[in-house]
Amino acid sequence: MGTWQIRHLSLQRRFFLLSFSIVLVFSVAVAVTLFVAQRNKLELTLENKGKAFASYISSVCTDALILKDTLQLDALVSEVHDDEIIYTIIEDADGNPQTTPFASLNRSHPQVKNILKKLPSDVSVSTVVDRLKKDGDVIELLQRIKVDSSTQGAVRIGLSRLNVHAQLVRQTEIILVGMLFMSLTFAIVLNVVANRLVLRPVSELARVADELAAGNMAARVTCSSVGEIDTVCRSFNMMAERLESDIAELKRAEASVRFAQESQEAILNSMPDLMFRTDREGVIKEYHTSEQNLLYLPPEQFLGKRVSEIMPEEPAGIVMASLAEAEKHGSHRGAVYCLTMPQGEMWFELSVTAMGTPCTGFILLVRDITARRRLEAEQQQLEKQLLHSQKLESLGVLAGGIAHDFNNILMAIMGNAELALMRINKESPAIGNLQNIEQASARAADLAAQMLAYSGKGKFVIEAVDLNRLLQEMLHMLNVSISKKALLNFHLADTLPCIEADATQIRQVIMNLIINASEALGDNSGAITVQTGSMICDRGYLKNVWPNEELPEGLYVFFEIADTGCGMDKETVGRLFDPFFTTKFTGRGLGMAAVLGIVRGHKGAIVVYSEPEKGTTIRVLIPASKLQAASEKPSIPEEAAWEGAGKALLVDDEEVVLDIGTEMLRELGFATVTARDGREALEVYRTTPGIRFVILDLTMPHMSGDQCLAELKKIDPEVKVVISSGFSEIEVKQKFAGSEPAGFIQKPYRLSALREVLKTVSPGT
């Protein structure tokens, strides 16, 4: 029975178990003593029997042993076998058996049978005897055979204990049953007597005590006994009556106290998370809180101390000023202070009420507003990011549209200037003016390219780029571009994944950032550090990058440019990527806005770290690629002058583009037909035979370039179409999934660029 079960038994049953156990243990001890004595007696009887047999044989076998008469010796030992003698062996003076195994062993005995089954048939008697001794339950006796004080041999007899054991078991069973019956009878008698005199009154006392403890104050002891037990029962009843009267009075007092406590508890639970009571000097006398983790210190460290002694200077000043204000006006609301807690920075809102007139102390109600402030801060940040993203998107759309139209105008200016230079007399004084027009147009084209880069749709030639190799190739150019007082340090990663990027655009970004870092140093000496590496960017990290777009998590390659210059404040960093924003005396284009546009076009991001007088670090992140960087291509020797022949269809909604494009195509040897939109282009292509290729604008009214290309493919699957656009080639190719054009040329283009594209599209002409 388990401990728990015994512990919950009644006193009567425990007494019965105890008395029964004691008597039973005593009975078992007596039984064990009798068992040992009986066993010794039976074994002694067995040994005496064996000694008698041994003496008899030793007295009658002397002559046969001296004469070595084996037959007579076998006959002698065969006569003495019975159920308790399992072997009888006559040995000579040297210990050698003189009787045969057949005669020496009692083969009908169970022990001998079991041994012989396990041994060979020709086994010696010594081996059998050794096995019998090893298995146990054998008593061996040795009787020396002497003639005139000289030993002639010995008689060895083996006695089995099996009969002794059987008798012991039978006798032990009888003894145990008798002892058990006696124990049970004695325990019952003892229990009946004890129960009547002691146990029943004690149990009654326990029952009444349990009822009193359960709230039944009318319970009394009804059982009677003799002597001291009866006195205890009467005294217990008197004590219960007195206790009933006291408890009734106590309940009435408790009801009043409970009502007051419940009222106070309700008031405290309706308050904010923390309540403190202080005296006029700001010494904390009492506190109440439902959240212990909101306490700045353990209670034993702030009870009895002034607020200014336990809190940092700034929040303590706010609290003490609130106490002074409450003493003057009766209350004070809305004070906010911050504390650095183990769980981080936490914000609290304080309300103070003065107690008494005149003031004797204060009640301070403190509410945790950390979550509210964080939510407000996150909301402000999200609104700021959304506003900035909308601004960038709007400016990007505006910049892209302006650049697209600007490119059409520039194409007419640049194309006419180029054609004029080709056709004018080399000695004409107008050549200088035309060259100035070309140079100004080129600068305007660069500005349009920056505007397209800002919109994220600039001219990109995407390939696998090894950023380390690109930086090493730029090393000399970077050194000559920075201040003489600046020290340029490279820390390039040992292994770096490639990126899919336009190497020219990435060079432009690096050069822009390096020059900005150099100018941040000014006339002071300093260092510019360029570092590369790769990192896994999760959602938490990508929330604080430029632009604030949903970039995918994953592996990014970065290059980081850090300087020890003047740095920037938060306001300047916030405007860093605004178009035409600059901290220089004179601006030079879109600046960092164009850098951001290029990075956006590569699906990347920028991270800016800067503090005034501590320098600036700008990290550019670009998604890693599984492609391998291509080795440098050998230079191809320039071919001989190329000239085309046949008809070309030029499609554009701008008249100036049609005019200059027609002039360029005529200069290259092509006859040109034109169309002003996609629908007109389809009609012209159907009705005009011999058109070798089509130069198709991407953005047109009525029917866009991608729609027109799909329809031209239906008319002639072998049609050769060159797409012309101010957007990048990669941006254009995304619109032609499944029906890619034969070539691409970006506006504004020169005659030489047009020649190279047409040589690829229509070779051999």
Side-chain angles (χ1 to χ4, degrees):
M1 184 178 293
T3 303
W4 184 89
Q5 292 173 310
I6 293 176
R7 186 178 301 166
H8 289 77
L9 288 176
S10 65
L11 184 61
Q12 296 176 1
R13 293 184 180 180
R14 289 193 207 179
F15 183 81
F16 175 77
L17 286 176
L18 178 62
S19 59
F20 177 73
S21 300
I22 293 173
V23 175
L24 184 62
V25 169
F26 176 76
S27 301
V28 171
V30 172
V32 170
T33 303
L34 293 175
F35 174 83
V36 173
Q38 186 65 18
R39 185 191 63 182
N40 293 337
K41 178 180 178 181
L42 292 174
E43 288 187 353
L44 182 61
T45 301
L46 182 63
E47 289 180 3
N48 291 335
K49 180 181 178 181
K51 288 178 181 179
F53 278 119
S55 297
Y56 168 73
I57 293 174
S58 63
S59 63
V60 298
C61 71
T62 305
D63 295 338
L65 179 62
I66 294 173
L67 296 174
K68 302 291 183 180
D69 189 348
T70 306
L71 293 176
Q72 188 175 356
L73 293 174
D74 285 349
L76 287 173
V77 298
S78 299
E79 293 177 359
V80 297
H81 287 174
D82 64 9
D83 291 342
E84 293 179 336
I85 299 176
I86 56 177
Y87 62 84
T88 306
I89 304 170
I90 300 175
E91 300 175 347
D92 59 13
D94 296 329
N96 297 317
Q98 298 301 307
T99 55
T100 63
F102 184 82
S104 300
L105 299 173
N106 184 359
R107 293 177 177 269
S108 63
H109 197 278
Q111 287 180 269
V112 178
K113 284 183 179 181
N114 292 335
I115 295 298
L116 291 176
K117 287 179 182 179
K118 302 175 183 177
L119 298 175
S121 58
D122 57 347
V123 66
S124 66
V125 67
S126 300
T127 303
V128 177
V129 170
D130 291 341
R131 288 294 297 273
L132 287 169
K133 291 179 182 179
K134 185 178 180 181
D135 291 345
D137 291 334
V138 174
I139 300 174
E140 186 179 82
L141 299 177
L142 182 67
Q143 179 68 44
R144 303 290 182 182
I145 303 173
K146 295 184 178 182
V147 178
D148 298 332
S149 72
S150 65
T151 301
Q152 298 297 319
V155 177
R156 192 184 300 274
I157 293 178
L159 303 173
S160 174
R161 286 194 178 97
L162 290 181
N163 289 340
V164 173
H165 290 173
Q167 293 180 39
L168 284 174
V169 169
R170 287 194 298 272
Q171 294 178 11
T172 302
E173 289 176 351
I174 294 171
I175 293 171
L176 286 177
V177 170
M179 290 296 181
L180 181 61
F181 178 76
M182 290 175 59
S183 301
L184 184 60
T185 302
F186 183 75
I188 291 173
V189 172
L190 184 62
N191 189 70
V192 169
V193 175
N195 184 52
R196 184 172 183 178
L197 297 178
V198 178
L199 298 180
R200 189 180 299 169
V202 172
S203 298
E204 181 70 7
L205 282 171
R207 181 188 65 78
V208 173
D210 288 339
E211 290 191 19
L212 291 174
N216 182 13
M217 305 310 298
R220 298 293 183 269
V221 178
T222 58
C223 182
S224 61
S225 183
V226 296
E228 290 83 354
I229 299 297
D230 185 62
T231 302
V232 169
C233 292
R234 284 188 281 106
S235 299
F236 187 86
N237 285 338
M238 293 174 61
M239 183 176 61
E241 291 174 0
R242 190 174 303 168
L243 182 64
E244 182 179 11
S245 175
D246 292 343
I247 289 177
E249 183 65 26
L250 182 62
K251 284 184 176 180
R252 287 191 291 271
E254 283 182 348
S256 300
V257 173
R258 189 181 303 112
F259 178 77
Q261 288 178 339
E262 289 175 353
S263 300
Q264 183 181 4
E265 190 69 24
I267 294 172
L268 292 175
N269 289 334
S270 66
M271 293 179 180
D273 296 329
L274 297 172
M275 185 278 288
F276 297 94
R277 182 175 64 83
T278 71
D279 61 11
R280 288 188 62 194
E281 304 301 323
V283 177
I284 299 175
K285 298 297 185 179
E286 183 184 350
Y287 83 98
H288 171 79
T289 177
S290 58
E291 295 290 341
Q292 292 290 334
N293 61 347
L294 294 180
L295 293 175
Y296 181 62
L297 293 173
E300 61 272 13
Q301 296 185 22
F302 65 74
L303 286 175
K305 295 184 179 180
R306 288 172 57 90
V307 172
S308 57
E309 295 175 351
I310 62 173
M311 295 178 68
E313 181 179 357
E314 183 177 351
I318 295 174
V319 174
M320 295 305 294
S322 300
L323 297 183
E325 186 72 17
E327 184 175 9
K328 185 184 299 183
H329 300 288
S331 64
H332 179 73
R333 303 284 185 272
V336 176
Y337 62 90
C338 176
L339 289 175
T340 302
M341 308 280 280
Q343 57 267 45
E345 188 177 69
M346 299 189 68
W347 289 85
F348 298 92
E349 186 177 55
L350 179 65
S351 298
V352 183
T353 302
M355 297 188 303
T357 305
C359 178
T360 59
F362 303 95
I363 295 295
L364 286 72
L365 302 180
V366 182
R367 185 179 298 277
D368 176 18
I369 60 169
T370 306
R372 187 178 78 191
R373 286 186 65 93
R374 288 176 181 170
L375 185 62
E376 292 173 353
E378 289 179 2
Q379 186 174 359
Q380 291 176 359
Q381 180 67 18
L382 288 174
E383 290 175 353
K384 182 179 178 182
Q385 291 177 354
L386 179 61
L387 181 62
H388 187 78
S389 297
Q390 291 174 342
K391 180 176 69 173
L392 291 179
E393 186 67 25
S394 300
L395 290 174
V397 172
L398 178 62
I402 293 174
H404 179 267
D405 294 338
F406 199 34
N407 279 332
N408 289 333
I409 300 171
L410 285 174
M411 183 174 169
I413 297 172
M414 294 171 64
N416 280 303
E418 187 177 14
L419 290 174
L421 282 171
M422 293 173 60
R423 296 170 180 173
I424 198 170
N425 190 341
K426 302 303 181 185
E427 298 177 356
S428 172
I431 288 179
N433 301 100
L434 292 172
Q435 290 175 342
N436 290 336
I437 292 174
E438 273 197 318
Q439 292 174 3
S441 300
R443 288 196 298 272
D446 288 340
L447 179 58
Q450 288 189 44
M451 295 171 71
L452 284 172
Y454 173 72
S455 68
K457 299 178 180 179
K459 179 180 179 180
F460 293 153
V461 179
I462 299 300
E463 58 185 343
V465 175
D466 183 343
L467 198 55
N468 283 346
R469 188 167 69 186
L470 185 144
L471 284 165
Q472 289 167 350
E473 292 171 353
M474 294 180 66
L475 179 59
H476 176 71
M477 181 171 59
L478 295 176
N479 275 318
V480 300
S481 301
I482 63 177
S483 169
K484 299 300 181 183
K485 295 184 179 181
L487 176 62
L488 185 62
N489 299 318
F490 269 31
H491 297 292
L492 307 183
D494 295 334
T495 57
L496 201 63
C498 289
I499 58 174
E500 294 183 39
D502 184 322
T504 302
Q505 297 279 16
I506 298 299
R507 288 190 188 95
Q508 180 181 340
V509 170
I510 294 171
M511 182 62 71
N512 191 315
L513 296 179
I514 289 289
I515 292 175
N516 286 348
S518 175
E519 292 178 347
L521 296 175
D523 296 330
N524 302 320
S525 298
I528 301 174
T529 303
V530 180
Q531 182 179 354
T532 62
S534 59
M535 60 186 295
I536 300 293
C537 296
D538 58 14
R539 181 61 52 210
Y541 184 82
L542 294 174
K543 285 175 61 178
N544 301 312
V545 300
W546 298 79
N548 302 112
E549 297 175 353
E550 287 294 328
L551 296 176
E553 297 179 338
L555 180 62
Y556 282 76
V557 176
F558 70 84
F559 61 89
E560 186 176 273
I561 298 174
D563 64 70
T564 58
C566 59
M568 297 177 286
D569 56 25
K570 289 185 178 180
E571 182 180 356
T572 303
V573 172
R575 300 186 59 195
L576 185 61
F577 298 102
D578 289 352
F580 300 103
F581 173 76
T582 179
T583 58
K584 307 179 182 73
F585 291 109
T586 57
R588 285 178 280 180
L590 290 172
M592 290 299 293
V595 169
L596 181 62
I598 293 172
V599 174
R600 286 175 63 196
H602 287 85
K603 309 300 181 185
I606 300 176
V607 183
V608 180
Y609 309 94
S610 186
E611 292 185 35
E613 307 304 327
K614 292 186 178 181
T616 301
T617 299
I618 296 180
R619 175 178 292 180
V620 178
L621 299 163
I622 299 176
S625 171
K626 296 181 180 179
L627 302 178
Q628 299 294 326
S631 57
E632 295 184 2
K633 299 179 181 179
S635 58
I636 301 174
E638 191 174 336
E639 298 180 3
W642 176 87
E643 186 174 357
K647 289 182 183 178
L649 172 58
L650 178 61
V651 185
D652 202 294
D653 60 329
E654 293 289 340
E655 193 70 33
V656 292
V657 176
L658 292 177
D659 293 341
I660 191 61
T662 300
E663 289 291 325
M664 287 182 174
L665 289 169
R666 185 180 297 115
E667 186 68 28
L668 294 176
F670 292 99
T672 307
V673 290
T674 60
R676 288 169 178 78
D677 57 49
R679 291 184 296 191
E680 185 179 348
L682 294 176
E683 184 64 28
V684 171
Y685 192 82
R686 287 193 190 96
T687 58
T688 306
I691 294 177
R692 303 196 62 175
F693 57 85
V694 180
I695 300 177
L696 182 62
D697 187 24
L698 180 63
T699 306
M700 297 180 296
H702 306 305
M703 180 181 287
S704 62
D706 53 337
Q707 294 172 334
C708 183
L709 175 59
E711 295 299 324
L712 287 172
K713 289 281 188 180
K714 293 178 182 178
I715 299 172
D716 180 9
E718 302 299 325
V719 63
K720 297 179 180 179
V721 178
V722 177
I723 295 297
S724 172
S725 175
F727 298 132
S728 67
E729 183 175 1
I730 187 172
E731 186 77 17
V732 171
K733 284 186 176 180
Q734 292 176 359
K735 296 179 176 292
F736 293 97
S739 59
E740 292 187 0
F744 173 80
I745 188 166
Q746 184 154 7
K747 294 180 181 179
Y749 51 82
R750 294 177 177 271
L751 182 64
S752 56
L754 182 60
R755 179 187 290 111
E756 292 302 319
V757 172
L758 296 183
K759 281 170 61 177
T760 304
V761 174
S762 182
T765 56

